[in-house]
Amino acid sequence: MLTALLAFIVLLLLRVPIALVLGIVTVLYIIISGSMGMLDTVPQRLFSGLENYSLLAISLFMLAGEIMNSGGITRRLVGFAQVLVGHFRGGLAYVNVVSNMLLASIIGSANAQIAMMSRTMVPAMEKEGYDRGFSSATTAASGLLGPIIPPSMLFIIYGVTSGTSIGAMFLAGILPGLLLGFSFVGLIAYLGYKEKWGSQRRKSLKEVSKSFFNVIPALSVPLIIILGIITGAFTPTESAAVACAVAFVTGFAFYRELQIKNIPKIMVNTAITTATVTLLIGMANVFGWLLSRERLPQEFADWMMTLTENPLVFLLLLNVFLLLVGMVLDGIAALIILVPIFMPMLATYGIDPIHFGVIICLNLAIGLLTPPIGAGLFIASSISEVRIERLTRAILPFLIVSILGLLLVTYVPQLVTWLPNLLN
Amino acid sequence: GGGDENSSTEASGEGGEHTFTLTHITQTSHGWHDTAMKFDEELQELSDGRMDLEIYPAGEIGSEADMLQQMESGDIDFGIITNAYMSTRDSEFNAWFMPFVFEDLAEAVEYRGIQPAQDMLEGLSEQGFVGLDFIFAGNRHILNASEPVESPEQLAGQSIRITDGPAIQDFWDEVGAGPTAMPLPEVYTSLQTGVIDGIDIDLDALITENLYETADYLTMSNHMTWPAVVMMSEISHDGLSEEDQDIVREAMKNAIDWGVQDAVEREEANLAEAEELGMNINELDEEEFSEVKETLHQQYAEESDIIAEFLEETQ
Amino acid sequence: MTLLKKVSDTIYSFERVLAIGLCTIMFLSLFLGVVFRYLLSSPLIWATELATFALVWVTFIGGSMGIKQHKAAAVTFLVDKLHGVMRKVLISIGFVIVVGFSVFMIYISISWLSSPNISVQTSTALGVPMLIPYVSVLIGFIFILIHSTLLLVEAAVQEGGQ
Ligand code: NA
Ligand code: NA
């Protein structure tokens, strides 16, 4: 494993694309361990890692974002938000966080959310003078709320693998989600004060109403998504395709900024940005398969159990362990492997399964934003064209706040259990 | 440390030690996992501790296509693969999906040894597998969010989530409902918001996937049974001495004899739990579906001799 | 080298057309899936499967285009810091590794696809041979090999890399 780790670092430094680095390391490990029969499985596993319905949402939300930008929809939505909150210092950054919180209440996946918002918010914020790294970091960090504020794919999978009520998990996520969202707002306020960001003058009522009139057709995009999901017309994954269609009609027929001749370029861009992310996820799946085949996560978890009998220390170790796992494994794969291992331990330490579920899912969501393998980080990086190193630096304050939030959620279980207990 | 699990199955001959590997798609709380653990016990006992089993549950090492690929190359020794997936590779397996053949699960499991079923297992040698046996999850029933199901007419125009597979699709098309494909994790919220009206499901999934939280009406239709094919990698099989092959077969037979009884008991326990959870439960009058049944039986019997024979033996 | 460049550029234009077609299929099948289920009450059972297969193809075609366009996610800070021969050597080694890995992937993909069991596999909803989506892995790495070979030659020949 040490050789593999070393190879991993060297290959990264040689500017080999990260997706390929994962594949090369997996193959090297197999060759060194001498189990050549496993090599045949590499392309098969790569394929089936990609044959995943939920990846479609990432790709189609990227497409929707492209269409919204070309069709003048994003500009008007952001312009309207600017008119309302532009006189606050850091106004647009708050808009980013709050719209992510709203989006999180209809979408269950952080990656899909980051894909959509990076395409729209980052250019808009940059245009208003925000640093692109900061804009991209704000977007990626707020996307983390996607699987915490219900609905949530991670909670559903946790519910199923652990035998916990999914409805209760959804309720449990609300307070931690709000807590994180408002912590990000606080962080932005602090950064804005420290960096002395400017603000615009308050707009007159006439300007507000003109901008509102302008934005009405653009509002149809989020509105139709929200209504469609709530009324059961389509699933959150399908909403990505509906968003493309609505954005196309609005940009083409109402604003007349979208032209048929733009479409090929939009599609090509989408294909390249999608592939940057999905190829990485596919290769990470091959790598994850190797880890589970070798039972490394299991061995590590078993070893951790031997370290302490104190539940508070156990929870701390658990968080460290999960953060490390989240760095290298995809969230859903990690849940499937780890939950059955940890469930029997919970009784020993007297930990509520709902509380544990929120801890594990929050950890794995944070893992999406941590190098070296953070799908969310790469989505934000490739869409907003900010280099990974720069984005990592910009996202650090948000990660620190998230980890503080995680610790709070870990040691104040009432934050998680209060709402489900109240309503059951 | 790498690869030692793999090399251990290569050591063969009298008295060789074997740590076999087995993989399946279900959670560790599912009956198939318990059967796999039973197989481990039987292996250890019958071989005087020379053999044991390592289990990769819940699709940990990939989808069913991945599992079979790893078995084909001899990297994984055993697999419990759903009949639904196997039917996409070999249409004879559709025999088990003929609608309204078995009264209930207890009846279905009695037929696992019949000749046409053995013929299906033997056909697997063409793909590099040794078919060992069939194992069962609960029978298929209908869970509906808004009303108890009584007749095919009532299902017309409803979106029913199904597990993909040609015969399953044909059944729901013939009923006149709209069969919908959707990954299982999306079903919970989709039933809640009404994207789908119902789901073709077994009782075990109903309980473990918490779907009773979002849909109230359970119709005990027993319209299909839900087997999995238990098989071994041919490479692993051929690497064993004849004595050891016998031990493996006997251990597996014992485990599955136990497993099918366990499945029948689970079916009853799950039904009791559904009642306890306050679900609205009704029985389906099979007569209402007799036309659908006749049409499909005839169509599939014409396509395959094995299916024709299967239907003859089970009627 | 000019021949290599011509081949790589021709493939890239071909990939552009494929990418446009695949994105359209992905969008249309999901969108029509909603229309047929919600408005016409007759769901298209194959819609999600077709969209998923299109996505797998997009991954390999778009991934290969990304490598040609230097858009694949990579860590660049060390290479950015270096100049002259050192930079040229490091970049070239990186490309040699990409070329080598592509050759390896092509080799194991061919061995995987030529197994007799591939031909018996059909997809669950559409019922098409699984070879159709599977072959995307092979084609993708063939294209990656061609593009990265050109990049390697360019990096080794040109002053200070690309
Ligand atoms: Na959410
Ligand atoms: Na990570």
Side-chain angles (χ1 to χ4, degrees), chain A residues 326-327 367 370 373-374:
Chain A
M327 282 183 190
T370 58
I373 307 168

Side-chain angles (χ1 to χ4, degrees), chain A residues 323 325-329 364 366-375:
Chain A
L323 281 173
V325 169
M327 282 183 190
V328 294
L329 266 189
L364 296 173
I366 293 175
L368 290 175
L369 300 181
T370 58
I373 307 168

Side-chain angles (χ1 to χ4, degrees), chain B residues 4 11 33 88 105 112 185 206 250 257 260 262-263 275 287-288 313:
Chain B
D4 33 23
H33 187 74
T88 68
L105 184 60
R112 76 177 221 258
L206 170 79
E250 195 186 340
D257 284 342
V260 294
D262 176 62
E275 275 164 4
E287 287 299 304
E288 291 280 343
E313 291 219 21

Side-chain angles (χ1 to χ4, degrees), chain A residues 12-246:
Chain A
L12 278 184
L13 291 179
L14 287 171
R15 213 181 64 176
V16 175
I18 299 169
L20 301 188
V21 172
L22 284 171
I24 297 168
V25 168
T26 306
V27 167
L28 269 183
Y29 183 95
I30 294 175
I31 292 173
I32 292 171
S33 68
S35 359
M36 295 305 179
M38 288 171 75
L39 284 179
D40 285 347
T41 308
V42 170
Q44 167 76 42
R45 194 70 197 89
L46 175 59
F47 173 86
S48 58
L50 292 165
E51 199 188 15
N52 177 347
Y53 185 61
S54 59
L55 293 181
L56 280 171
I58 297 178
S59 173
L60 286 171
F61 274 126
M62 286 180 181
L63 180 60
E66 289 265 359
I67 298 176
M68 284 170 71
N69 289 350
S70 305
I73 297 166
T74 315
R75 185 159 50 76
R76 287 179 178 85
L77 283 174
V78 172
F80 181 61
Q82 263 307 80
V83 165
L84 293 182
V85 298
H87 54 283
F88 293 115
R89 183 176 270 172
L92 210 48
Y94 300 130
V95 171
N96 190 340
V97 178
V98 173
S99 28
N100 259 301
M101 286 166 81
L102 292 176
L103 204 59
S105 67
I106 49 172
I107 291 181
S109 140
N111 287 340
Q113 213 171 304
I114 296 171
M116 181 176 197
M117 296 299 280
S118 301
R119 237 310 158 253
T120 48
M121 279 311 283
V122 176
M125 283 179 69
E126 197 184 11
K127 221 169 122 211
E128 291 297 326
Y130 291 85
D131 171 68
R132 200 189 323 169
F134 169 76
S135 313
S136 184
T138 310
T139 312
S142 314
L144 178 107
L145 302 172
I148 306 300
I149 296 177
S152 155
M153 286 303 280
L154 285 185
F155 284 170
I156 288 179
I157 295 190
Y158 175 78
V160 170
T161 47
S162 69
T164 312
S165 157
I166 296 164
M169 285 304 299
F170 280 7
L171 288 173
I174 294 178
L175 284 182
L178 293 177
L179 172 82
L180 268 186
F182 288 112
S183 312
F184 291 158
V185 167
L187 175 65
I188 292 166
Y190 168 75
L191 290 175
Y193 171 78
K194 205 182 82 182
E195 317 254 319
K196 300 202 171 46
W197 292 340
S199 59
Q200 299 167 337
R201 66 174 173 84
R202 190 185 276 272
K203 299 288 188 296
S204 71
L205 202 61
K206 201 174 144 207
E207 284 169 305
V208 173
S209 65
K210 183 171 169 242
S211 167
F212 177 68
F213 192 70
N214 243 326
V215 84
I216 291 175
L219 280 175
S220 64
V221 180
L223 209 66
I224 288 178
I225 294 184
I226 293 172
L227 284 178
I229 292 177
I230 292 175
T231 60
F234 39 76
T235 65
T237 309
E238 292 168 334
S239 79
V242 176
C244 292
V246 180

